[in-house]
Amino acid sequence: MYDAIVVGARCAGASTALLLTRAGHRVLLVDKGTYGSDTLSTHLIHQPGVAALGRWGLLDQVRASGCPPLTHTRYEVADIRIEGGARGVDGHHEGFAPRRRVLDPLLIDAAVAAGAEYRERCRVTGLLRDEAGRVVGIEGTYGGLAFTERAPLVIGADGMRSAVADAVGAPYTAHDDRLTCAYYTYWPDVTGCLELYERHGGWVAAVPTNDDATLVLAYFPQERFDEVRADARLAYQEQIRSTAPALSDRLRGSEPVERLRGTGDQQNFFRQAAGPGWALVGDSGHHKDSITARGISDAFWQSETLVREVQGTLGGDPAQLDAALARFAEERDRHLTPGYEATLGVARLDPHEQRLSLLRAVQSDPELTAIYFDMVAGIASAGALYTPRLLALL
């Protein structure tokens, strides 16, 4: 009998298991994949997520992996060029973009070191319920054998296509159309800062990561997906050339160090976050287009919020746990909705003139630039930018 079972051992699941275990709970962490495997990702951890890693005592390990700090951002759209950095969170002004084969094992190792039990290649095939229909555990296969395990709380952290969400029938509470498709690969010796380029119908990002490589991503409107994937390499190169010509020039003559990866399934939704005996964290409960790279930082926030709310309720009165889960669900929606709406706006790939006028004012002022990059990182809302200083420039 465990206090909690976490299904999925990526950023959301491993961090939730870590924090629950450190809080004194007996935790089982299971994942259908293998330890240290890679996954589709923008890799970027904005400053709120970096601050979380600092609180958990794991930031030095990210640094030690050779992942460079991202203290400077360059953003170009139309005739506008904005350069600078965010004001930061808890003294952390830098972002990081570690490879997932670095970050995910680091989080799993920390959870195991704290006392969590971890099972890789462990497939969950169903949920256990009591006579009232409350979720009380999982069933699945591990090492070729069927098993069941019980806990008062089962947490689905198993991604956008969550089996846990399907099993509990978690309804969508918001569901918007897919807006972009994206392709990326890794290039050697490209840049020393985070670069973002936007035009109508295109978005390109260059993100320094481990092994002296830079992740270069190209985004296209979703309606172009069939066309793009018919010759993805050519479309990728052309999107970089037309959206970020200076970056394209720097890539000329070089070859990527890994194969091209991509997806046309960038879903945008909120699912119900919790119910009797279950909760969803990370992409299983809320997913949005990766163009703003909020996923990892948002997952860390959800992990901390869920663990804080359920502390003292596991193994006790189920009504107290249900009340804690309801608070988590309400707080998740309140906190993440503004970033969701902002992401949908960016993912439409249509920089309208009103926004461009605002950005022209921002580029002329270092203070407004710092606030703007706080917005990019999810530290500040759009309203924070409308200072008397900005209004005087408009």
Side-chain angles (χ1 to χ4, degrees), residues 139-334:
E139 58 186 5
T141 57
Y142 177 56
L145 300 174
F147 75 92
T148 61
E149 297 290 0
R150 292 181 172 269
L153 179 60
V154 173
I155 300 166
D158 49 337
M160 183 177 70
R161 303 174 189 88
S162 169
V164 174
D166 287 346
V168 299
Y172 291 109
T173 57
H175 201 180
D176 290 276
D177 291 341
R178 296 172 180 86
L179 295 172
T180 77
C181 56
Y183 281 83
Y184 69 85
T185 187
Y186 303 86
W187 296 80
D189 306 319
V190 175
T191 184
C193 75
L194 174 63
E195 299 178 36
L196 306 172
Y197 302 89
E198 182 180 9
R199 67 173 178 87
H200 179 75
W203 179 281
V204 169
V207 189
T209 184
N210 295 91
D211 305 319
D212 297 318
T214 295
L215 171 68
V216 179
L217 306 101
Y219 287 80
F220 309 80
Q222 175 67 25
E223 58 265 25
R224 290 190 59 197
F225 181 51
D226 288 341
E227 168 205 342
V228 168
R229 68 176 173 174
D231 191 339
R233 184 177 178 86
L234 178 63
Y236 171 80
Q237 292 173 333
E238 174 58 26
Q239 187 73 314
I240 297 171
R241 188 197 65 76
S242 58
T243 306
L247 174 62
S248 179
D249 288 345
R250 284 150 55 203
L251 297 179
R252 189 173 295 120
S254 182
E255 287 294 325
V257 296
E258 294 187 20
R259 67 178 178 86
L260 189 66
R261 297 173 172 89
T263 179
D265 191 22
Q266 299 221 85
Q267 298 181 37
N268 298 296
F269 64 77
F270 282 88
R271 288 189 179 108
Q272 180 179 324
W278 61 270
L280 303 175
V281 294
D283 290 348
S284 62
H286 166 56
H287 189 274
K288 54 186 171 290
D289 197 291
S290 67
I291 198 164
T292 54
R294 298 278 186 90
I296 297 175
S297 298
D298 285 354
F300 289 169
W301 179 89
Q302 290 175 67
S303 298
E304 288 191 321
T305 303
L306 176 63
V307 173
R308 182 177 65 249
E309 292 295 350
V310 303
Q311 183 64 24
T313 68
L314 298 177
D317 181 359
Q320 291 185 346
L321 175 58
D322 290 348
L325 294 174
R327 290 192 300 270
F328 162 71
E330 181 179 359
E331 179 67 6
R332 184 205 67 171
D333 290 353
R334 184 198 65 78

Side-chain angles (χ1 to χ4, degrees), residues 75 77-80 351-361:
Y75 168 52
V77 56
D79 59 339
I80 299 158
H352 53 78
E353 187 54 41
Q354 181 180 2
R355 179 163 162 255
L356 294 177
S357 295
L358 183 147
L359 292 173
R360 289 186 185 99

Side-chain angles (χ1 to χ4, degrees), residues 26-39:
R26 188 177 181 216
V27 178
L28 173 63
L29 174 64
V30 303
D31 195 279
K32 66 182 180 182
T34 58
Y35 176 85
S37 59
D38 211 349
T39 189

